[in-house]
């Protein structure tokens, strides 16, 4: 994983270029199941993090991979990353992808957000 400038982020441009080939990463779409079915990043699983406690979210995440959260614009993914850490997940094992995504199936238009700095 290449870290982003902002705490808890992956480097957006690096992740955009490489996410389809990363074998040690599980992408977690934190949007609603309906949104996930309409389109999401290739290889992602759906966990609607905002409806879970921190402890339940931490328990639901894969233990054998680094987790990268995504949503449609980065906000819910950032909240999920913080919630996972609050739930006891090692901060070096969970990150979020700060980007605007518009996916149809697994074909995504991705615009990486500027780091907050």
């Amino acid at each position: 994983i290449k870290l982003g400038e902002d705490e808890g982020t992956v480097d957006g441009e690096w992740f955009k270029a490489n996410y389809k080939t990363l074998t040690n990463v599980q992408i977690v779409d934190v949007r609603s199941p309906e949104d996930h079915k309409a389109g999401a990043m290739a290889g992602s699983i759906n966990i609607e993090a905002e409806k879970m406690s921190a402890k339940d979210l931490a328990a639901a995440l894969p233990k054998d991979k680094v987790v990268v959260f995504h949503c449609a614009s980065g906000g819910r993914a950032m909240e999920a990353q913080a919630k996972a850490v609050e739930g006891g997940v090692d901060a070096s094992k969970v990150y979020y992808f700060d980007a605007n995504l518009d996916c149809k199936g697994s074909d995504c238009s991705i615009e990486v957000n500027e780091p907050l700095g």
Side-chain angles (χ1 to χ4, degrees):
I1 290 286
K2 183 175 180 185
L3 302 181
E5 281 185 43
D6 295 329
E7 184 177 341
T9 62
V10 293
D11 181 277
E13 293 298 335
W14 175 85
F15 194 70
K16 177 181 173 181
N18 294 291
Y19 77 91
K20 291 181 181 178
T21 62
L22 299 173
T23 57
N24 63 333
V25 172
Q26 177 61 65
I27 301 168
V28 176
D29 179 355
V30 298
R31 301 171 303 147
S32 72
E34 296 79 23
D35 288 341
H36 179 75
K37 285 177 190 161
M41 296 181 81
S44 68
I45 61 171
N46 182 229
I47 299 175
E48 198 171 5
E50 66 187 0
K51 292 189 174 182
M52 302 175 84
S53 71
K55 188 174 185 171
D56 289 345
L57 174 60
L61 297 175
K63 309 295 183 248
D64 60 338
K65 294 185 177 191
V66 172
V67 170
V68 176
F69 294 107
H70 92 77
C71 61
S73 63
R76 287 175 286 177
M78 178 177 69
E79 291 170 2
Q81 187 272 344
K83 186 182 272 190
V85 171
E86 177 187 331
V89 178
D90 182 337
S92 70
K93 301 287 185 194
V94 289
Y95 300 92
Y96 71 97
F97 183 40
D98 191 9
N100 289 297
L101 280 79
D102 183 21
C103 302
K104 307 292 186 255
S106 62
D107 182 29
C108 296
S109 168
I110 301 171
E111 183 181 325
V112 175
N113 294 326
E114 290 292 320
L116 299 173

